[in-house]
Amino acid sequence: MSPKLLALDRVLAIEPGECARALRNVPNTLSLFDSHFPLRPVLPGVLVLGSMGELARALLAHSPGGAWRLAGAERVRYRQFVQPGDQMEIEVRMREQTSGEAVLGATVRVEDKVVTTARALRMVRTGDGDRS
């Protein structure tokens, strides 16, 4: 998947070990809108989830011991569509962390309305040769 499709536009705050907030703009120029419901373009849910995982990775980057990757998500709820021109406000909060795994909760808002929640983003440490 293209890094541009998962890129956060701005990290607003990181409180190591606690939480992080970021913004992601959804430009109407993304080529995926040509094929993902062209009459009513929406950002695919997997990209919203990927943005939450990217912010979780940014928060965990402040932990010693290496890089992290999204390994799974539980109880993800999509309440509204994210459309071209929207600005997503993403927040992740640490629930628990061990040396090799972390579980975070995540919320995405557009114009102060909750559009997506994830009860548990499961992050795992990457191996030395794993760059995912």
Side-chain angles (χ1 to χ4, degrees):
M1 196 173 296
S2 165
K4 179 68 177 158
L5 292 177
L6 294 178
L8 299 172
D9 289 299
R10 184 170 35 159
V11 175
L12 300 173
I14 292 182
E15 295 178 37
E18 296 293 323
C19 63
R21 293 183 312 117
L23 296 177
R24 178 178 181 200
N25 295 310
V26 183
N28 58 10
T29 56
L30 288 177
S31 61
L32 66 91
F33 291 133
D34 295 338
S35 61
H36 201 263
F37 306 118
L39 298 177
R40 185 174 183 224
V42 298
L43 189 67
V46 69
L47 295 181
V48 176
L49 182 62
S51 295
M52 291 187 282
E54 189 68 21
L55 182 57
R57 197 162 85 178
L59 173 62
L60 290 165
H62 292 272
S63 301
W68 296 79
R69 69 174 176 81
L70 181 63
E74 297 174 14
R75 296 184 63 189
V76 178
R77 304 286 186 256
Y78 297 97
R79 298 176 181 191
Q80 290 186 321
F81 290 117
V82 176
Q83 300 176 322
D86 285 346
Q87 183 179 63
M88 298 189 310
E89 301 170 34
I90 307 161
E91 180 178 23
V92 295
R93 291 197 165 274
M94 186 69 67
R95 293 189 184 273
E96 57 188 81
Q97 182 178 1
T98 65
S99 61
E101 183 178 65
V103 178
L104 300 94
T107 303
V108 177
R109 291 180 174 80
V110 171
E111 296 180 359
D112 291 325
K113 294 179 186 169
V114 174
V115 297
T116 306
T117 58
R119 183 75 126 189
L121 295 177
R122 297 205 176 277
M123 306 290 291
V124 295
R125 285 202 189 275
T126 60
D128 291 337
D130 186 3
R131 299 209 181 256
S132 50

